[in-house]
Amino acid sequence: MSGENRQGHCLCGAVRFTATPKSDEMAVCHCSMCRRWSGGVFMAVECDAIEVGDDSSLGVYTSSEWGERAFCSSCGSTLFWRMRDGSHIAVSAQALDEPAAFRFVSEIFVDEQPSNYAFANETQRMTGPELVAMMTGKPESRDG
């Protein structure tokens, strides 16, 4: 599956895209920003690239100095999170045409996960500080 293009779109179809997943793995983010943005947890597939067809309905919100969140400005669908420098793209698994093609393998920001839900899957679980330290080599507190 790595390198294989996948199609996706928002709820209303105004934003259609082609994404290139890095693998067949899906991760979940429990951070407060992702939960508020997605209305639950952000189920994401890390991608090498994303190409949006007609971007006239693509909204982009800069949520931190390094991250931005893309959504459909017509229907509000959550589409992807990316580093502003383009070094990381996480596409909403549920916006992809075949979300079941991805294995649920990890959860991040588990230290921000509310106590009113839990997944039954066996996953790798990381706190926000653990994730940031792994990605940057230094401790931080937000994902963006």
Side-chain angles (χ1 to χ4, degrees):
M1 172 172 302
S2 180
E4 181 181 323
N5 287 340
R6 296 290 178 148
Q7 304 301 307
H9 59 87
C10 64
L11 182 62
C12 72
V15 179
R16 295 187 176 277
F17 62 86
T18 301
T20 309
K22 288 186 178 224
S23 72
D24 69 344
E25 297 180 347
M26 178 184 71
V28 166
C29 184
H30 297 283
C31 84
S32 61
M33 284 191 279
C34 280
R35 286 185 288 112
R36 190 168 300 274
W37 175 51
S38 68
V41 296
F42 181 47
M43 300 179 137
V45 174
E46 188 175 358
C47 291
D48 287 321
I50 187 166
E51 184 177 319
V52 176
D54 176 2
D55 67 358
S56 61
S57 291
L58 184 68
V60 177
Y61 173 70
T62 302
S63 57
S64 71
E65 65 185 64
W66 59 86
E68 57 188 17
R69 297 163 189 274
F71 58 94
C72 175
S73 60
S74 295
C75 68
S77 295
T78 298
L79 298 173
F80 56 90
W81 182 95
R82 65 183 171 204
M83 294 286 289
R84 292 178 65 197
D85 68 4
S87 63
H88 181 83
I89 304 166
V91 175
S92 171
Q94 304 308 314
L96 293 166
D97 290 347
E98 299 176 46
F102 300 93
R103 298 177 300 116
F104 179 24
V105 298
S106 63
E107 299 174 65
I108 59 173
F109 285 88
V110 297
D111 51 320
E112 295 186 31
Q113 179 180 348
S115 61
N116 65 339
Y117 71 84
F119 291 105
N121 303 59
E122 290 291 326
T123 62
Q124 175 188 10
R125 294 173 50 85
M126 298 178 75
T127 66
E130 289 169 339
L131 176 70
V132 172
M134 181 187 78
M135 292 178 72
T136 66
K138 59 184 177 182
E140 299 263 346
S141 63
R142 293 297 319 148
D143 76 326

